Amino acid sequence: MSLVLGIAAESGSGERRVAMVPSAVSVLRKAGVQFVVESGAGERAGFPDAAYAEQGARLTGRGEVFGTADVLLQVRCPGANPDKGAADLHLLRRGQTTIGFAEALTAIETVRTMAERGVNCLAMELMPRITRAQNMDALSSMATVSGYKAALMAADTLPRMFPMLMTAAGTVTPARVLVIGAGVAGLQAIATARRLGAVVSGYDIRPAVKEQVESLGARFVVLELENAGAEDQGGYAKDMGRDFYRRQQELLADVLAQQNAVIATAAVPGKKAPILITREMVSRMAPGSVIVDIAAERGGNCELTRPGETVEAGGVRILGPLNLPSAIPYHASQLYARNLAAFVGCLLQDGQLRLDREDEIVRETLVTFAGEVVHPRVRELLSSSLAHAV
Ligand code: NAD
């Protein structure tokens, strides 16, 4: 019997992406798997039912997708779908596998329930950042989309234009844009703001990114901070502690006061985003300035950010957008689907799913398996939450 992969419409409110696009269905079909797709699943992302049917997928209702699929491919597994995930959890059955973003390190109660119900879960956000898994790195794909959209939002909200213009009516000076955090999203925000003609600076706690920032035509901001050891072995920033952040805020304040727009993307994996922009720093910015805080998903880099809202303080607008990839659903879905197809492709052996726990990619992403929570970090979090409860 060939393996059946299921694609259900994403049920999270405001979620417009779909986990598989027709071209990725076609790639996986060649590996001998079958697809059941919920009617309308790709519609909000711009992929009609007919395009899935053309690739040999069977279109059906939601109940049947959950009922017949061996493996469900999702953007948001129950843990990453706070409003509707519980209903999906009910539809998942023992022995079934779900692959998608799972918020496995934060939604630990949902992880526990999945294990109890015998549902196997592979979390895309835990994909190791190793060369072999580069084409499965959905966090990077989604960060690319977010960075691009954040720059567009800044340009759209600012009461000025981004480029310098020399016209018969005079010269328009270019906008000054600072991007804080030059990881995947930040670099894309820098590139996009540059393409729109702004004068862009980039800042990051990891000095290693200086060259990347400069290669995009932006200036790298250097603060006099002792940041040796700011980067962990995986290339991520570390949590630097309150005193460090206070000093960083003091030094950043002058840089910030000169900007028309700030795009904040700084994050530390598994932690709340560091506060790098205080209320006082915002009060020193010129009225009309804009802050797009895409770290809002993790609480925000600005003290005044309200996730999902726009706040105004002294004429400065602070945007705290959530789920930016969903705002560009066609390409976000296309990139995500390719990441998923590469991942599933690496899990398939003779057309069947083989979860080889000797393989680093499986070991790092497998959260629940055969009724147990198997991921060491999630297990640790669960036992410390149990210890707290006692
Ligand atoms: P992220 O989303 O965790 O963080 C965004 C950025 O915020 C990072 O560049 C981080 O250094 C920065 N930051 C954190 N605290 C800060 C502070 N106090 N002040 C200023 N900046 C701060 O990171 P990400 O974008 O997902 O990835 C970061 C890095 O990981 C990449 O640049 C790269 O080196 C590495 N990476 C490797 C691979 C791979 O090998 N496959 C893939 C993606 C990323």
Side-chain angles (χ1 to χ4, degrees):
M1 282 262 288
S2 41
L3 188 79
V4 179
L5 303 182
I7 316 295
E10 290 296 314
S11 57
S13 62
E15 185 53 75
R16 294 164 67 196
R17 289 170 292 175
V18 61
M20 268 286 129
V21 302
S23 58
V25 166
S26 145
V27 169
L28 284 172
R29 288 264 294 143
K30 292 189 184 111
V33 297
Q34 300 296 316
F35 271 93
V36 279
V37 177
E38 180 179 347
S39 290
E43 218 160 77
R44 278 172 297 175
F47 301 98
D49 285 354
Y52 290 94
E54 245 169 60
Q55 301 304 336
R58 189 163 64 82
L59 277 299
T60 181
R62 188 175 187 79
E64 207 181 326
V65 170
F66 276 86
T68 54
D70 301 303
V71 179
L72 261 146
L73 303 179
Q74 301 189 283
V75 176
R76 294 175 177 273
C77 294
N81 182 1
D83 40 23
K84 302 276 174 49
D88 284 355
L89 200 52
H90 241 78
L91 295 172
L92 288 164
R93 58 193 155 70
R94 196 162 288 277
Q96 207 166 25
T97 299
T98 175
I99 309 179
F101 288 121
E103 287 288 339
L105 298 177
T106 46
I108 52 175
E109 281 311 317
T110 308
V111 170
R112 192 208 306 269
T113 311
M114 272 201 277
E116 281 167 6
R117 295 181 59 99
V119 175
N120 306 327
C121 174
L122 292 137
M124 288 301 277
E125 74 274 13
L126 299 178
M127 188 64 68
R129 283 181 153 179
I130 55 174
T131 310
R132 192 161 62 89
Q134 238 166 16
N135 60 350
M136 309 168 200
D137 182 358
L139 275 185
S140 287
S141 303
M142 297 304 103
T144 300
V145 178
S146 297
Y148 167 78
K149 182 69 181 177
L152 296 187
M153 288 173 89
D156 194 34
T157 310
L158 199 67
R160 315 166 59 106
M161 287 192 273
F162 264 28
M164 183 180 92
L165 298 179
M166 291 203 277
T167 77
T171 301
V172 170
T173 53
R176 297 174 64 89
V177 176
L178 171 70
V179 176
I180 301 179
V184 181
L187 289 172
Q188 191 53 235
I190 290 173
T192 307
R194 282 279 301 143
R195 283 182 208 121
L196 290 173
V199 172
V200 184
S201 314
Y203 168 68
D204 199 291
I205 199 175
R206 296 178 298 121
V209 298
K210 177 177 188 285
E211 253 177 56
Q212 294 171 42
V213 169
E214 288 175 347
S215 73
L216 293 170
R219 189 173 71 87
F220 187 67
V221 174
V222 179
L223 302 181
E224 280 190 25
L225 271 169
E226 184 41 70
N227 55 357
E231 185 164 335
D232 71 11
Q233 283 177 338
Y236 285 113
K238 287 200 222 157
D239 185 2
M240 300 300 279
R242 206 183 310 166
D243 290 346
F244 180 94
Y245 291 134
R246 196 168 300 140
R247 177 84 186 120
Q248 196 179 21
Q249 289 160 4
E250 281 166 22
L251 294 170
L252 259 182
D254 287 341
V255 184
L256 216 77
Q258 297 161 17
Q259 309 301 323
N260 303 119
V262 176
I263 299 168
T265 77
V268 178
K271 305 259 178 199
K272 242 181 127 256
I275 296 286
L276 306 176
I277 307 170
T278 60
R279 178 187 298 271
E280 206 270 319
M281 288 161 78
V282 173
S283 73
R284 286 185 53 198
M285 294 179 75
S289 307
V290 171
I291 298 174
V292 179
D293 189 351
I294 66 171
E297 300 263 5
R298 301 259 169 239
N301 289 145
C302 176
E303 193 180 353
L304 299 176
T305 296
R306 280 202 225 120
E309 292 179 31
T310 296
V311 176
E312 194 159 331
V316 178
R317 266 178 287 178
I318 303 142
L319 281 61
L322 298 175
N323 197 7
L324 280 181
S326 174
I328 306 186
Y330 184 92
H331 279 135
S333 301
Q334 181 183 304
L335 295 174
Y336 182 70
R338 285 188 189 158
N339 294 140
L340 261 186
F343 187 27
V344 172
C346 125
L347 301 175
L348 289 179
Q349 240 180 49
D350 303 324
Q352 296 300 318
L353 197 71
R354 294 271 175 270
L355 299 178
D356 170 11
R357 287 166 67 186
E358 298 293 307
D359 181 341
E360 182 180 4
I361 293 178
V362 175
R363 206 171 50 236
E364 294 283 323
T365 51
L366 190 63
V367 182
T368 58
F369 184 67
E372 275 186 63
V373 177
V374 293
H375 197 280
R377 269 154 76 201
V378 184
R379 282 175 77 105
E380 252 170 54
L381 289 167
L382 271 171
S383 53
S384 66
S385 84
L386 271 179
H388 273 100
V390 175

